[in-house]
Amino acid sequence: MRKQIVVLVAGLIFSIHASFVAETQAAGTDFKDVQSNHWAKKAIETAVDKGYFKGYADGTFKPNATVTRAEFAALLARVSKGEVSVNSTASFTDLAGHWSEAEVKRAISFGFIQPSDYPNGFKPNTPITRFEIAKWMASGLAVADSGYKQALEDTKTTVIPVKEYFNPGIPESKSSYIAVAMGTKLLSGYPDGSFGMDNNATRAETATILLSFKSVRAQQADHFLGLQELRQVGTERTNLETISPFTTGNTSFNDVVDKTYTFKNNAGTLKLHNYIVVDTEDFKDINSIYAPLFVDETDYIERIDKPGNYRVFMQMTIYPKASEFDLGDYMNGAMSPLLGSGRVGNENPKKYGYLTLPNFEAKKFFETHNTVDGITLWVKSNITPNLKWDEFKTDDKSYVITKKK
């Protein structure tokens, strides 16, 4: 009789869904389908030992199987201990009698799930996407800690170091959740440079994410350098003070971004959008979350910059006016000391889908890419330890300076 009661309770909590009711492997037992060199082996075993996941009765874990919304909600509810953060009676009609109903309600109460995101029902058996995971976790962090709540506000318009930022673009309604997830290393991009917003998470990925979430939740938002960079770029259009020993003093890039600067040779104009700094003293030890956007293995093979050197990558839009606008028109026209004239010379522009200054056939490049909206691209420059100060001044006399702190 006791055995029947235990089975009944397990059924009420986990339903008959295989991944939640299968017999659990004993702590430390290897799963047949998780080899010793599997990238998530340690995370899987830890997550199972902590009771977040269960293995299957046949001795497998199925690391590549997808995770549903219901499952991830239940997992977050289990990881989150203590009193609920939000008083909520919200529920979904399509969860009535579903095994995850109580856990989803608990996840809502912790602020992970916003019922308004699912006006047509929760659809619990739908595989969860990476964007949903990012949003749920960032939302839960924001409810529990005001620092993360502010981080969501600060990063709405930040530059996110994934190819989707450049094409097709990430709307403000989604960008901050991805920024918080990446800035805290809860999620990262794929080797091809994409974030994979619509990709479904696997059980192996989810095991790793859960353990990371537990660690992040115990830290304040200011603890994460990557998130600090994303926040400063989102609010000030630069990560200068966060990542380097340089500063804008009592000036601000906010005063000059998106304002017109006319070339000294009158060949065109430009508008500066973002000014991003990367520490390149040692190409094999770069902390900036933006490094992967601009630096690859061709930059750091046996190559070390002089001590105190930083690379700068400026996003700007050029509006050519001269007939057959050429690279020389830019070089000789953008004479403000702060503006650079280098190109991102590796494969990253192609990988992430952004433009940089051309290396050859410049006239054809500018003619091909020029539209009524100009040509938006990234230009490279440097800041050196002996910098006294550099200035960028727009046509309306607004200006910003960079100098040593």
Side-chain angles (χ1 to χ4, degrees):
M1 182 66 177
R2 177 179 176 81
K3 182 178 181 180
Q4 290 176 334
I5 292 174
V6 171
V7 172
L8 178 60
V9 171
L12 287 173
I13 298 177
F14 305 121
S15 181
I16 58 171
H17 198 286
S19 67
F20 284 77
V21 299
E23 293 181 11
T24 308
Q25 292 286 296
T29 300
D30 290 335
F31 293 105
K32 294 190 295 185
D33 55 351
V34 180
Q35 303 303 317
S36 59
N37 61 348
H38 191 282
W39 67 272
K41 179 178 173 61
K42 184 175 180 180
I44 289 170
E45 291 178 344
T46 301
V48 170
D49 286 347
K50 289 183 176 296
Y52 304 149
F53 271 102
K54 293 177 181 289
Y56 288 81
D58 63 358
T60 63
F61 182 78
K62 303 192 188 314
N64 296 323
T66 58
V67 175
T68 67
R69 288 173 181 168
E71 290 172 341
F72 195 70
L75 290 166
L76 284 177
R78 292 174 198 169
V79 170
S80 303
K81 297 179 180 178
E83 295 298 320
V84 295
S85 303
V86 177
N87 251 337
S88 176
T89 57
S91 188
F92 298 97
T93 56
D94 62 347
L95 278 180
H98 192 271
W99 68 268
S100 67
E101 184 177 13
E103 262 114 339
V104 171
K105 285 184 177 179
R106 182 170 167 81
I108 292 173
S109 297
F110 274 110
F112 295 117
I113 301 170
Q114 300 174 29
S116 59
D117 288 341
Y118 304 98
N120 299 316
F122 188 65
K123 299 179 182 178
N125 298 323
T126 300
I128 194 166
T129 65
R130 280 168 56 85
F131 172 70
E132 285 178 298
I133 287 177
K135 184 169 186 179
W136 289 16
M137 292 190 299
S139 296
L141 289 171
V143 167
D145 188 310
S146 60
Y148 290 105
K149 183 178 181 180
Q150 186 60 51
L152 286 178
E153 289 297 316
D154 292 345
T155 53
K156 285 182 177 179
T157 60
T158 196
V159 176
I160 301 179
V162 293
K163 64 169 57 177
E164 290 95 333
Y165 172 82
F166 302 97
N167 185 25
I170 301 175
E172 287 185 27
S173 60
K174 294 184 177 181
S175 62
S176 57
Y177 300 108
I178 297 172
V180 169
M182 292 190 70
T184 56
K185 297 184 179 181
L186 285 170
L187 290 170
S188 59
Y190 288 110
D192 69 352
S194 68
F195 181 78
M197 294 170 63
D198 297 325
N199 289 3
N200 300 130
T202 66
R203 282 165 58 85
E205 289 175 326
T206 305
T208 302
I209 291 168
L210 281 176
L211 297 180
S212 296
F213 177 74
K214 198 172 180 189
S215 173
V216 168
R217 192 182 54 181
Q219 305 286 343
Q220 293 185 333
D222 290 343
H223 171 79
F224 301 97
L225 178 63
L227 186 55
Q228 290 181 48
E229 288 184 84
L230 290 162
R231 293 176 70 174
Q232 193 186 13
V233 171
T235 57
E236 301 176 37
R237 314 322 309 172
T238 184
N239 62 338
L240 183 70
E241 282 89 358
T242 300
I243 204 71
S244 79
F246 303 96
T247 180
T248 59
N250 60 359
T251 67
S252 171
F253 276 96
N254 283 329
D255 294 331
V256 298
V257 294
D258 299 334
K259 291 185 177 181
T260 299
Y261 168 89
T262 299
F263 291 176
K264 301 309 178 185
N265 56 8
N266 207 37
T269 62
L270 67 77
K271 291 181 179 179
L272 183 65
H273 306 305
N274 291 286
Y275 185 91
I276 292 178
V277 182
V278 175
D279 175 5
T280 50
E281 287 183 295
D282 184 346
F283 281 94
K284 291 190 176 182
D285 185 24
I286 299 177
N287 293 322
S288 174
I289 194 171
Y290 288 107
L293 265 185
F294 306 111
V295 179
D296 69 9
E297 63 276 5
T298 63
D299 291 301
Y300 60 70
I301 294 175
E302 301 298 328
R303 185 176 180 182
I304 299 178
D305 268 8
K306 293 179 181 179
N309 273 18
Y310 287 75
R311 296 287 176 94
V312 179
F313 301 91
M314 287 165 284
Q315 185 189 38
M316 62 179 67
T317 299
I318 298 174
Y319 303 88
K321 291 196 317 185
S323 176
E324 296 187 324
F325 187 92
D326 203 347
L327 191 57
D329 291 311
Y330 172 81
M331 299 282 195
N332 298 320
M335 299 299 291
S336 180
L338 187 142
L339 294 176
S341 59
R343 66 187 303 271
V344 182
N346 51 41
E347 293 298 309
N348 281 3
K350 184 185 299 183
K351 176 180 178 180
Y352 286 93
Y354 62 84
L355 297 176
T356 188
L357 288 173
N359 193 33
F360 55 88
E361 296 186 337
K363 290 181 181 179
K364 183 178 180 181
F365 170 87
F366 287 112
E367 180 182 0
T368 300
H369 294 286
N370 192 21
T371 69
V372 293
D373 297 320
I375 308 165
T376 299
L377 43 70
W378 290 83
V379 177
K380 184 179 72 174
S381 185
N382 295 283
I383 308 183
T384 62
N386 58 356
L387 171 72
K388 292 185 178 179
W389 62 275
D390 276 342
E391 180 186 59
F392 174 67
K393 183 180 290 186
T394 55
D395 290 359
D396 68 355
K397 308 303 180 184
S398 299
Y399 70 97
V400 64
I401 62 170
T402 56
K403 61 181 182 178
K404 202 76 177 284
K405 288 179 182 177

